[in-house]
Amino acid sequence: MKFVVKLVSAIIAMVSLAILVPPHKAQAASHYTIGTETTFVPYAIQGKDGTYNGKHPGIDMEILRAIAKNQHFTFDLKIMNFAAIVQALQSGQVDGNMAAMMVTPERQQTLDFSHTYLNAGLSLATKPGSSIKSYKDLKGKIVAVKTGSTSETYATSIQNKYGFTIHHLDSTNTEINDVTTGNADAAIDATLSLQYTIKNGMKLRLIGTQQNVHPVAFAVKKGENAALLQKFNKGLANIKKDGTYAKIMAYYTGAKAHTNANIATDRSYLGIIKANAPQFKAGITMTIKLTIVSIIIATIVGVFIGLFGVVPSRLLKGFHGVYTFIFRSIPVMVLSFFIYMGIPSLIGHKIPLFTAGVATLVLENSAYIASFVAGGIKSVDRGQMEASRSLGVTYLASMRKVIMPQAVRTMAPSFINQFIIALKGTSILSAIGLAEMTQQGTIIISQNMEGFKVWLIITAMYLVLIGCLTLLSDRVQKHYSLAN
Amino acid sequence: MLDEKIVIAKHIHKSFGDNEVLKDVSLSVHSGEVVVMIGPSGSGKSTFLRTLNGLETIDKGQVMVNGQLLYDKKVNLNQVRQNIGMVFQHFNLFPNMTILNNVIMAAISTKHFTPEKARQEAKKYLDMVDLSEKMNSYPAQLSGGQKQRVAIARALEMEPKIMLFDEPTSALDPEMVGDVLEVMQQLAQNGMTMIIVTHEMGFAKRVADRVVFFSDGMIQESGTPEEVFDRPASPRTQGFLERVLNV
């Protein structure tokens, strides 16, 4: 068993390394990688381009920015699902975590927290007309919460007392959408966040505010990055002293609080597309880039490993068998987590997000390609190889000139199929925060709450892309079969 | 003319699992000789033929072709095979290539000829089998008999010293058989060393210098066509010939 784990890790590490930008050793101590969440208003508000580089990126981002400036350090942001951030922190993918994280005893087991930068409590939210007036009315109802959040822990702790079921969702937006679409009867989330959403036009009613109050703080992995923690604390004290902190809090939570610019915009399909054009464009570009790079590398890797499956060598055949078994068996999402979160702790340095995404797709798709390449070659009549060898042609030349051209023709439909699967597979990488089409859709919805319309637009975009890919493949195939 | 032994197979043993298909088979063939191997299906004659160019592994024994030991680790099998043409029952033409490319592929790949020379020679051989007008067709567009004649031209292109034929007419419609046999007879008359596995008894009688009767993984009898067909010594040969000729 241990051997298998080692082998799998080694294979993944090898392939990852092969397409890895040369790993940079721990950079100058004044530069950090900080993990944060995909939009969690008003703590983190992603701009139209999917980044937090805008003027008003939310409380967390502004505080972090002010502290960094005050303490003279720089940082890169890694944006991912809330539940993934803690893992990223554990694996060393990020140095610190600025994600409106509440300090709880459980989290203190594995994380070191900074001084508190605000206190946050929870609220129950329902649709305005709902019959739910208090927690007592939740019997038999469904309550939506965000996976990994304090709300989830709280909901779980009172679940039996009030007799409701829990829906676990990956972000505040999907959780609120769950309530507005009627899938869930209520949601539990941070009061501040819910208030901000309501201010921005979401039709919700809060029941109780600031229940179950927890301090919110910046976190690092337990026992590590003490210097960063110290800088954060010092900077926090400084910006509290000089008024910066108060200014930020007033901006997002005051009576004349900031509202999201998306509110008053055109809500037609065309309006949504226009208003979010840069995000859609960035998503399409990323999806296409991921698909093309992955398809090319996966095809090369897959063809080679496919050949391993037919050459007269037990070692290579064995490798082929193990490789195809393992990577056809691991679910893509698990594989992406393993590469992005797991491998770094194994090899001791970070893996760039794009690289991790490509490695995931390459491993998965090359395993399928290797299978049908080997199958295609085996389907060529044995007499073909014999005839070629009987003429004195070498094994490799026979493969190249006689066997492969025949095998490729039977493989062509499988290749097209695999390319389509690879394209769709890119969407799963939104789980590790790759800003491709699906992820961009999530971000846009987090701002305008137009779940149905945005997903329809995203669906149409996938259909168009896959349509183009199919058309292109058909052309190539026709051209190829005409040549014969 | 019949002095130089070009093929020497000694004490060949070969099993597929528990089934011993060749039991101590020895055969020598002189340069220019035409040897026809007959016998019931599964008697081992095709397997034996395939050991003569290394398409089968053997368990015991020795095969020397053209002065080189085939089952010696040091020998370059690709090079030895360039001197041994082989024609298969199912033609095994390369469906992805034109007729011309079928014929010239090996010669170019092994650098036996330059591409221009290869094309020249191919035309010559395709002329010989009367198929030069099909040069740019693909195998799928040819009849079985035409395919087998292309396969012969393809083998000849490498200028082999020996030609092996593994039931070359068994997969053909009866009306196609004649054309293929005619080409083979012509080859024999030109002095090609040939070892042929076939069920065409008439052809064997007409063309063979020697007929070898295989049965049960062994050579039961061997001699001139007259000896084997008219005065078979072994009862097994007699039985086989009765069954085949009286159908």
Side-chain angles (χ1 to χ4, degrees), chain A residues 26-256:
Chain A
Q27 291 192 1
S30 58
H31 186 85
Y32 299 99
T33 307
I34 309 291
T36 193
E37 209 179 345
T38 41
T39 293
F40 179 39
V41 293
Y43 301 99
I45 306 169
Q46 270 165 294
K48 284 196 189 306
D49 53 356
T51 69
Y52 288 114
N53 299 334
K55 214 173 164 202
H56 298 296
I59 299 173
D60 278 11
M61 293 302 108
E62 289 209 41
I63 289 179
L64 181 62
R65 239 189 234 175
I67 291 175
K69 197 174 154 205
N70 185 275
Q71 292 295 309
H72 309 289
F73 67 82
T74 53
F75 62 90
D76 285 328
L77 282 175
K78 290 267 178 190
I79 306 166
M80 52 192 107
N81 291 342
F82 186 75
I85 305 177
V86 180
Q87 296 175 48
L89 204 51
Q90 293 296 345
S91 67
Q93 280 284 44
V94 298
D95 301 310
N97 178 355
M98 189 69 178
M101 188 176 266
M102 293 184 182
V103 182
T104 62
E106 296 80 39
R107 287 179 180 150
Q108 280 170 321
Q109 301 283 317
T110 54
L111 305 176
D112 284 336
F113 283 97
S114 70
H115 296 156
T116 304
Y117 61 85
L118 56 84
N119 284 303
L122 306 176
S123 290
L124 185 67
T126 65
K127 275 206 243 186
S130 166
S131 61
I132 299 167
K133 305 274 184 268
S134 74
Y135 281 95
K136 281 179 196 140
D137 301 327
L138 286 176
K139 195 166 175 58
K141 306 281 188 191
I142 295 168
V143 175
V145 295
K146 183 166 61 177
T147 308
S149 68
T150 318
S151 324
E152 188 185 43
T153 319
Y154 180 60
T156 311
S157 72
I158 59 171
Q159 178 179 16
N160 285 339
K161 186 172 158 199
Y162 296 109
F164 55 84
T165 347
I166 298 178
H167 263 191
H168 304 264
L169 295 148
D170 69 340
S171 72
T172 296
N173 308 298
T174 39
E175 154 211 313
I176 290 175
N177 262 322
D178 213 34
V179 175
T180 55
T181 56
N183 287 338
D185 303 295
I188 299 178
D189 210 325
T191 306
L192 210 53
S193 184
L194 291 169
Q195 282 171 336
Y196 183 86
T197 318
I198 292 166
K199 248 180 249 168
N200 276 278
M202 180 54 59
K203 303 234 172 339
L204 285 177
R205 190 190 49 185
L206 294 194
I207 300 169
T209 54
Q210 301 292 52
Q211 297 148 331
N212 201 259
V213 174
H214 282 281
V216 170
F218 175 80
V220 296
K221 186 177 176 182
K222 199 169 184 69
E224 278 174 32
N225 277 313
L228 176 59
L229 207 57
Q230 219 167 18
K231 282 181 201 169
F232 189 94
N233 287 336
K234 229 189 260 170
L236 182 61
N238 288 344
I239 64 165
K240 273 187 175 166
K241 233 179 277 164
D242 71 9
T244 314
Y245 176 83
K247 230 189 267 169
I248 294 171
M249 291 310 289
Y251 184 81
Y252 290 98
T253 62
K256 281 192 206 161

Side-chain angles (χ1 to χ4, degrees), chain B residues 238-247:
Chain B
Q238 286 165 12
F240 173 73
L241 287 174
E242 259 165 42
R243 259 177 285 131
V244 179
L245 297 175
N246 295 339
V247 167

Side-chain angles (χ1 to χ4, degrees), chain B residues 16-33:
Chain B
F16 290 115
D18 289 338
N19 181 20
E20 193 172 23
V21 289
L22 295 178
K23 302 169 181 165
D24 196 32
V25 177
S26 298
L27 180 78
S28 299
V29 178
H30 289 90
S31 184
E33 196 178 7

